[in-house]
Amino acid sequence: MDKKQDLREQNENCGEEAKICNMCGKVFDFWDTNENFCFDCYIGYGSSYDLQRLRLNLCCDCFDKVLDWMLPQCKINPMTEYDLHSEFSIEDVDTDV
């Protein structure tokens, strides 16, 4: 079995086992695992990849490379500032402690 096939089989899912970056082949370190840039998507009709499944794990460096390439291609910027305060509301806090 060649090295790429072996890496592909080890990287089959986005589960708890060690992940490997699909772009560079790096085994995920602490930061890569913590950020978890893992995409698992079924591709339906309307694409040249109809009825296939995308399982993509990216380390932090490769994620940045993909965004550096992709963002200038976008007519509408998909990036927004992260607002921690919008993630939680007062209703989420249990006051009956």
Side-chain angles (χ1 to χ4, degrees):
M1 178 181 307
D2 67 16
K3 184 178 179 181
K4 284 187 178 182
Q5 179 64 28
D6 188 41
L7 290 174
R8 192 176 304 118
E9 287 179 5
Q10 292 176 35
N11 213 30
E12 272 298 305
N13 64 28
C14 295
E16 295 301 315
E17 57 198 47
K19 293 183 187 116
I20 301 166
C21 178
N22 289 98
M23 279 184 64
C24 71
K26 172 186 169 189
V27 175
F28 276 26
D29 63 17
F30 171 81
W31 292 109
D32 302 321
T33 302
N34 189 49
E35 292 303 325
N36 196 30
F37 297 125
C38 176
F39 306 91
D40 188 353
C41 178
Y42 169 74
I43 303 166
Y45 293 104
S47 163
S48 59
Y49 299 96
D50 288 354
L51 304 178
Q52 295 187 44
R53 184 175 184 175
L54 174 70
R55 291 180 170 175
L56 180 65
N57 295 320
L58 297 174
C59 68
C60 293
D61 292 334
C62 289
F63 182 79
D64 287 345
K65 289 176 188 175
V66 168
L67 285 184
D68 289 345
W69 171 84
M70 184 185 72
L71 290 176
Q73 311 288 327
C74 295
K75 294 199 184 290
I76 300 170
N77 187 353
M79 298 297 289
T80 61
E81 291 291 322
Y82 180 74
D83 182 7
L84 179 62
H85 300 294
S86 70
E87 292 291 313
F88 303 101
S89 67
I90 193 67
E91 292 83 28
D92 294 334
V93 178
D94 184 7
T95 57
D96 297 332
V97 178

